Amino acid sequence: MISSTHQGIAICAIDAFSEVPLGGNGATVVLLDKPACTNWMQALARELAQSETAFLWHNKQQWCLRWFTPSCEVPLCGHASLAAGLALYQWGKIDLGEEYFFSTSSGNLRIEVHSAKLASLDLPTTGLTSRIQEPWMAELLGTSLLNQWSSGLAYGVLLVSTNFPLGKLDPHNPVWRNGPEKAWLVMQAAETPHHYQLRFFAPGLGISEDPVTGSAHALVAPWWCEQLNLSQVSGWQPSQRPGGMLCIPQKNSQIRIKGSGTLLWKGELPWISTNSDGEAWKK
């Protein structure tokens, strides 16, 4: 946290949804003492070049949270929120086993840190809406394509059969820019110990492939629970940096995701302001 002498800004990197370093989904977390200029936060996120950078500050008894990819601010990010909770514990700002809430553009998100490497987070789920099949979907997936949906998160969802080679999908294929959706997730049933697996392609968010995506699992976990008649499911993401999470539907149209996170490094940014008028601390 910034001291009274403005010596620096606390920052750390956490690999979310991974029990080991360099796995899962990397996020940087920046601890501010007040809201910062959006342009400054975007520029810093671009410089840090993680799939998401989370910015935190405390205001009126609550933690405020915003998320930025290298190219844009996003309305919801699961892995960076999990990372933010673990970072607050690393900085000694919150206690183990206590319930806290992040104030975000997607509402208040409950966070609880269970240990230095384990946390649970409640994310909203918007449900799936039936979508027409477009020619590119069948061309890419063939007879393995079983169904397709859209969602309130502007994620498209494609369900494929278990014999489809999910790992061979190319994240740089231009088809992921088709349609009005900002991102596409392709999912299928999985073998024990996981119930399903998915990959997530998000060129509309400035990310070819997101390694492990909490908001995507929160979106589809209720569907898998219903299909499998289970009260909770384990989801896996077989990307180049694989990881997974336990997903537990709640009564308030939210999903509790529980996953590991590993601290990669922590340090301090010097007191800097990067926007054109020299003032970093504007909304």
Side-chain angles (χ1 to χ4, degrees):
M1 201 165 184
I2 299 172
S3 71
S4 60
T5 57
H6 292 168
Q7 291 180 347
I9 300 170
I11 183 172
C12 73
I14 288 179
D15 289 335
F17 303 121
S18 177
E19 296 180 354
V20 296
L22 308 180
N25 203 348
T28 43
V29 184
V30 181
L31 182 60
L32 309 172
D33 67 353
K34 55 185 173 181
C37 170
T38 296
N39 290 340
W40 180 85
M41 290 188 284
Q42 183 64 76
L44 183 57
R46 187 179 305 115
E47 178 72 15
L48 293 168
Q50 293 280 1
S51 56
E52 253 87 17
T53 296
F55 293 87
L56 280 165
W57 65 95
H58 201 254
N59 181 42
K60 297 180 180 179
Q61 308 304 312
Q62 66 180 355
W63 288 101
C64 300
L65 177 62
R66 292 173 71 178
W67 314 275
F68 290 80
T69 75
S71 63
C72 65
E73 184 172 8
V74 295
L76 184 66
C77 180
H79 88 275
S81 299
L82 190 88
L86 292 169
L88 287 175
Y89 173 71
Q90 291 285 345
W91 288 318
K93 301 297 182 183
I94 63 175
D95 298 320
L96 293 181
E98 296 291 330
E99 185 178 75
Y100 299 90
F101 289 87
F102 291 137
S103 176
T104 79
S105 59
S106 292
N108 289 331
L109 307 181
R110 174 197 171 275
I111 182 77
E112 181 180 349
V113 179
H114 305 286
S115 72
K117 298 182 69 171
L118 183 67
S120 60
L121 171 74
D122 288 6
L123 293 176
T125 184
T126 63
L128 301 175
T129 304
S130 294
R131 188 193 195 285
I132 62 169
Q133 183 182 128
E134 295 184 7
W136 69 267
M137 299 176 185
E139 291 171 6
L140 178 69
L141 305 172
T143 57
S144 295
L145 178 61
L146 303 178
N147 212 334
Q148 60 282 323
W149 300 271
S150 288
S151 70
L153 289 176
Y155 297 170
V157 179
L158 302 173
L159 175 68
V160 296
S161 59
T162 55
N163 61 0
F164 182 82
L166 195 63
K168 292 187 177 180
L169 287 173
D170 180 5
H172 304 291
N173 192 323
V175 300
W176 305 122
R177 295 187 178 276
N178 288 343
E181 288 82 2
K182 294 182 179 179
W184 287 95
L185 68 92
V186 185
M187 64 179 185
Q188 63 187 176
E191 296 180 354
T192 304
H194 306 291
H195 298 100
Y196 70 92
Q197 59 182 1
L198 63 86
R199 290 180 67 191
F200 186 82
F201 309 106
L205 300 174
I207 307 166
S208 295
E209 180 172 10
D210 196 44
V212 190
T213 316
S215 60
H217 287 268
L219 175 65
V220 302
W223 187 88
W224 285 105
C225 284
E226 182 178 346
Q227 297 300 306
L228 301 174
N229 194 28
L230 295 173
S231 60
Q232 61 185 38
V233 288
S234 175
W236 184 253
Q237 215 157 323
S239 66
Q240 290 185 345
R241 295 177 50 139
M245 65 202 74
L246 183 68
C247 304
I248 311 166
Q250 305 296 295
K251 294 180 180 180
N252 54 358
S253 298
Q254 291 192 326
I255 302 297
R256 181 161 299 167
I257 59 174
K258 189 173 185 179
S260 301
T262 302
L263 177 68
L264 190 62
W265 55 260
K266 61 179 177 179
E268 184 180 273
L269 291 171
W271 174 255
I272 52 176
S273 60
T274 58
N275 57 328
S276 58
D277 60 8
E279 297 180 21
W281 311 111
K282 284 187 176 180
K283 293 183 179 180

